[in-house]
């Protein structure tokens, strides 16, 4: 009687003992959702110059020519910026009664090498542009010569022509769709295309270096002075104005 009662009690509570395994229903896996958010804003920081031969490296400091110590101006702010453009210095040259072509001097840069040691090097003049808009709609960089090279007395190098050869475009980003153009300043205050990014390209920082150095001269940056020209001793100068627009390049 007691045995039967025990069996009945165990059956009513759903507990069984036997030689097989005891099974139970599996619990569902725990699940918890979180979000990922990013809020973009316009980049208004000024981008420092980079080495045109290593645009993915650390910023560099271009030096000033001791014969022409014009200050190096900071770049323009904003998401589409001109970060740097070299002064064009032709140095001390000898006068000639014949037509003569002079070559620009290199730009001396200061940089830190991979071991943290400060070094100096020489580069051909260059111009640098950064597009951080995030639109990839292209841009165009142009330049104009404000006036003829002029002496402090007011006399000018009439007929003298400055030329910039087709530059070497370099970037840590893709340079597909970005190209440069050769320039001959035949007309003052006329804008000439220097470098352009087509629609769908040009995001990042781009440098346009005007050729390579040969015998410590930038052979692709020239000043040609015509023959039979009255030239005074001393410094002649002019200014270039660089203009960057959000219109896609050619």
């Amino acid at each position: 009687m007691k045995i039967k009662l025990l069996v009945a009690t165990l059956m009513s509570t759903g507990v069984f003992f036997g030689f097989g395994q005891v099974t139970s229903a599996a619990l569902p896996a725990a699940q918890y959702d979180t979000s990922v958010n990013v809020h973009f804003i316009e980049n208004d920081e000024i981008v420092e110059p980079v080495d045109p031969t290593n645009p993915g490296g650390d910023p560099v400091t271009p030096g000033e020519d001791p014969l022409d110590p014009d200050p190096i101006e900071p770049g323009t702010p904003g998401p589409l910026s001109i970060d740097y453009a070299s002064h064009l210095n032709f140095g001390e040259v000898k006068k000639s009664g014949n037509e003569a072509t002079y070559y620009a001097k290199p730009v001396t840069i200061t940089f830190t090498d991979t071991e943290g040691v400060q070094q100096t090097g020489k580069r051909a003049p260059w111009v640098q542009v950064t597009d951080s808009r995030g639109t990839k709609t292209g841009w165009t960089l142009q330049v104009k010569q404000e006036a003829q090279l002029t002496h402090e007395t007011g006399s000018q190098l009439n007929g003298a022509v400055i030329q910039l050869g087709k530059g070497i475009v370099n970037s840590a980003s893709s340079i597909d769709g970005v190209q440069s153009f050769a320039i001959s300043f035949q007309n003052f205050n006329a804008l000439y295309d220097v470098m352009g990014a087509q629609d769908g390209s040009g995001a990042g920082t781009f440098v346009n270096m005007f050729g390579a150095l040969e015998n410590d001269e930038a052979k692709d940056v020239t000043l040609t002075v015509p023959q039979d020209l009255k030239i005074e001793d001393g410094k002649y100068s002019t200014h270039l104005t660089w203009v960057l627009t959000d219109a896609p390049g050619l």
Side-chain angles (χ1 to χ4, degrees):
M1 184 69 177
K2 292 180 179 180
I3 294 175
K4 290 181 179 180
L5 180 61
L6 176 62
V7 171
T9 301
L10 292 175
M11 290 180 64
S12 67
T13 59
V15 179
F16 294 91
F17 297 94
F19 296 104
Q21 294 181 341
V22 178
T23 60
S24 62
L27 294 174
Q31 181 173 304
Y32 188 91
D33 293 334
T34 62
S35 63
V36 178
N37 301 289
V38 58
H39 183 176
F40 289 101
I41 62 173
E42 184 176 282
N43 186 347
D44 60 357
E45 295 182 357
I46 293 178
V47 180
E48 296 182 78
V50 297
D51 185 346
T53 66
N54 181 29
D58 294 331
V60 301
T61 303
E64 297 177 0
D65 191 311
L67 294 175
D68 188 16
D70 289 335
I72 303 299
E73 299 294 335
T76 63
L80 185 61
S81 60
I82 302 173
D83 308 324
Y84 169 78
S86 302
H87 298 307
L88 303 183
N89 293 311
F90 294 92
E92 287 184 334
V93 298
K94 294 180 179 180
K95 294 188 289 185
S96 171
N98 300 315
E99 180 178 286
T101 296
Y102 307 102
Y103 303 103
K105 299 302 180 184
V107 178
T108 299
I109 64 170
T110 303
F111 62 96
T112 303
D113 64 18
T114 55
E115 297 180 355
V117 179
Q118 199 170 68
Q119 305 281 358
T120 60
K122 293 182 178 181
R123 303 290 184 267
W126 80 93
V127 61
Q128 177 179 316
V129 167
T130 293
D131 181 4
S132 59
R133 295 172 296 168
T135 59
K136 294 191 71 173
T137 52
W139 43 263
T140 298
L141 176 67
Q142 298 174 302
V143 65
K144 64 179 178 179
Q145 181 179 339
E146 296 290 348
Q148 182 55 273
L149 287 154
T150 304
H151 193 270
E152 61 184 0
T153 62
S155 65
Q156 297 186 330
L157 285 181
N158 294 322
V161 176
I162 298 171
Q163 292 182 302
L164 305 176
K166 184 177 180 180
I168 302 170
V169 177
N170 203 355
S171 176
S173 306
S174 171
I175 62 173
D176 290 343
V178 181
Q179 58 181 326
S180 63
F181 308 92
I183 297 170
S184 178
F185 292 102
Q186 300 289 341
N187 299 306
F188 304 130
N189 283 312
L191 285 168
Y192 295 89
D193 290 346
V194 180
M195 179 170 55
Q198 299 174 358
D199 189 16
S201 64
T205 296
F206 294 82
V207 294
N208 184 30
M209 186 170 65
F210 299 107
L213 296 178
E214 297 180 31
N215 300 321
D216 213 26
E217 293 178 321
K219 298 291 189 180
D220 286 328
V221 181
T222 63
L223 167 63
T224 301
V225 178
Q227 64 181 2
D228 194 25
L229 184 67
K230 179 182 177 180
I231 303 175
E232 297 190 52
D233 290 347
K235 176 182 174 181
Y236 285 78
S237 62
T238 187
H239 288 88
L240 303 181
T241 299
W242 305 80
V243 179
L244 179 62
T245 62
D246 60 2
L250 299 176

